[in-house]
mmCIF file of all heavy atoms in Angstrom:
data_model
loop_
_atom_site.group_PDB
_atom_site.id
_atom_site.type_symbol
_atom_site.label_atom_id
_atom_site.label_comp_id
_atom_site.label_asym_id
_atom_site.label_seq_id
_atom_site.Cartn_x
_atom_site.Cartn_y
_atom_site.Cartn_z
ATOM 1 N N PRO A 161 -6.982 -21.213 17.290
ATOM 2 C CA PRO A 161 -6.962 -22.544 17.929
ATOM 3 C C PRO A 161 -6.284 -23.587 17.037
ATOM 4 O O PRO A 161 -6.257 -23.428 15.828
ATOM 5 C CB PRO A 161 -8.467 -22.831 18.157
ATOM 6 C CG PRO A 161 -9.146 -21.523 18.083
ATOM 7 C CD PRO A 161 -8.373 -20.715 17.124
ATOM 8 N N ARG A 162 -5.834 -24.655 17.656
ATOM 9 C CA ARG A 162 -5.114 -25.680 16.901
ATOM 10 C C ARG A 162 -6.049 -26.665 16.221
ATOM 11 O O ARG A 162 -5.692 -27.257 15.206
ATOM 12 C CB ARG A 162 -4.155 -26.415 17.838
ATOM 13 C CG ARG A 162 -3.035 -25.507 18.359
ATOM 14 C CD ARG A 162 -2.030 -26.311 19.163
ATOM 15 N NE ARG A 162 -0.942 -25.433 19.663
ATOM 16 C CZ ARG A 162 0.107 -25.107 18.985
ATOM 17 N NH1 ARG A 162 0.293 -25.594 17.739
ATOM 18 N NH2 ARG A 162 1.039 -24.302 19.490
ATOM 19 N N GLN A 163 -7.209 -26.959 16.794
ATOM 20 C CA GLN A 163 -8.144 -27.902 16.221
ATOM 21 C C GLN A 163 -8.981 -27.251 15.125
ATOM 22 O O GLN A 163 -9.270 -26.033 15.200
ATOM 23 C CB GLN A 163 -9.009 -28.523 17.302
ATOM 24 C CG GLN A 163 -8.225 -29.338 18.318
ATOM 25 C CD GLN A 163 -9.127 -30.000 19.320
ATOM 26 O OE1 GLN A 163 -10.337 -29.821 19.295
ATOM 27 N NE2 GLN A 163 -8.552 -30.807 20.236
ATOM 28 N N ALA A 164 -9.445 -28.113 14.161
ATOM 29 C CA ALA A 164 -10.093 -27.574 12.948
ATOM 30 C C ALA A 164 -11.368 -26.809 13.230
ATOM 31 O O ALA A 164 -11.546 -25.657 12.792
ATOM 32 C CB ALA A 164 -10.334 -28.703 11.948
ATOM 33 N N LEU A 165 -12.322 -27.424 13.941
ATOM 34 C CA LEU A 165 -13.602 -26.779 14.140
ATOM 35 C C LEU A 165 -13.513 -25.487 14.935
ATOM 36 O O LEU A 165 -14.044 -24.458 14.504
ATOM 37 C CB LEU A 165 -14.589 -27.739 14.833
ATOM 38 C CG LEU A 165 -15.967 -27.214 15.078
ATOM 39 C CD1 LEU A 165 -16.631 -26.754 13.767
ATOM 40 C CD2 LEU A 165 -16.871 -28.257 15.777
ATOM 41 N N PRO A 166 -12.837 -25.460 16.100
ATOM 42 C CA PRO A 166 -12.664 -24.173 16.806
ATOM 43 C C PRO A 166 -11.943 -23.159 15.952
ATOM 44 O O PRO A 166 -12.263 -21.951 16.011
ATOM 45 C CB PRO A 166 -11.920 -24.567 18.066
ATOM 46 C CG PRO A 166 -12.157 -26.003 18.252
ATOM 47 C CD PRO A 166 -12.254 -26.582 16.897
ATOM 48 N N ALA A 167 -10.940 -23.590 15.167
ATOM 49 C CA ALA A 167 -10.203 -22.642 14.335
ATOM 50 C C ALA A 167 -11.075 -22.024 13.273
ATOM 51 O O ALA A 167 -11.003 -20.825 12.991
ATOM 52 C CB ALA A 167 -8.990 -23.320 13.690
ATOM 53 N N LEU A 168 -11.942 -22.843 12.681
ATOM 54 C CA LEU A 168 -12.856 -22.307 11.636
ATOM 55 C C LEU A 168 -13.893 -21.381 12.239
ATOM 56 O O LEU A 168 -14.235 -20.362 11.635
ATOM 57 C CB LEU A 168 -13.535 -23.470 10.890
ATOM 58 C CG LEU A 168 -12.624 -24.230 9.899
ATOM 59 C CD1 LEU A 168 -13.342 -25.461 9.368
ATOM 60 C CD2 LEU A 168 -12.253 -23.327 8.747
ATOM 61 N N LEU A 169 -14.425 -21.729 13.376
ATOM 62 C CA LEU A 169 -15.377 -20.843 14.038
ATOM 63 C C LEU A 169 -14.709 -19.546 14.406
ATOM 64 O O LEU A 169 -15.306 -18.436 14.248
ATOM 65 C CB LEU A 169 -15.948 -21.537 15.304
ATOM 66 C CG LEU A 169 -16.828 -22.726 15.063
ATOM 67 C CD1 LEU A 169 -17.240 -23.379 16.394
ATOM 68 C CD2 LEU A 169 -18.108 -22.334 14.280
ATOM 69 N N PHE A 170 -13.462 -19.598 14.855
ATOM 70 C CA PHE A 170 -12.698 -18.396 15.176
ATOM 71 C C PHE A 170 -12.501 -17.541 13.934
ATOM 72 O O PHE A 170 -12.680 -16.338 13.963
ATOM 73 C CB PHE A 170 -11.351 -18.808 15.755
ATOM 74 C CG PHE A 170 -10.373 -17.653 15.893
ATOM 75 C CD1 PHE A 170 -10.472 -16.772 16.962
ATOM 76 C CD2 PHE A 170 -9.391 -17.453 14.949
ATOM 77 C CE1 PHE A 170 -9.590 -15.719 17.083
ATOM 78 C CE2 PHE A 170 -8.493 -16.412 15.064
ATOM 79 C CZ PHE A 170 -8.578 -15.544 16.139
ATOM 80 N N ALA A 171 -12.143 -18.193 12.791
ATOM 81 C CA ALA A 171 -11.912 -17.435 11.557
ATOM 82 C C ALA A 171 -13.198 -16.778 11.076
ATOM 83 O O ALA A 171 -13.169 -15.651 10.596
ATOM 84 C CB ALA A 171 -11.349 -18.359 10.491
ATOM 85 N N CYS A 172 -14.334 -17.495 11.163
ATOM 86 C CA CYS A 172 -15.601 -16.934 10.683
ATOM 87 C C CYS A 172 -16.073 -15.763 11.509
ATOM 88 O O CYS A 172 -16.784 -14.857 11.005
ATOM 89 C CB CYS A 172 -16.675 -18.019 10.657
ATOM 90 S SG CYS A 172 -16.385 -19.313 9.404
ATOM 91 N N LEU A 173 -15.725 -15.755 12.794
ATOM 92 C CA LEU A 173 -16.156 -14.685 13.693
ATOM 93 C C LEU A 173 -15.112 -13.596 13.866
ATOM 94 O O LEU A 173 -15.343 -12.614 14.560
ATOM 95 C CB LEU A 173 -16.524 -15.278 15.049
ATOM 96 C CG LEU A 173 -17.693 -16.260 15.031
ATOM 97 C CD1 LEU A 173 -17.927 -16.841 16.412
ATOM 98 C CD2 LEU A 173 -18.964 -15.625 14.504
#
Side-chain angles (χ1 to χ4, degrees):
R162 295 185 179 276
Q163 297 184 356
L165 181 57
L168 285 172
L169 292 175
F170 169 80
C172 291
L173 297 177

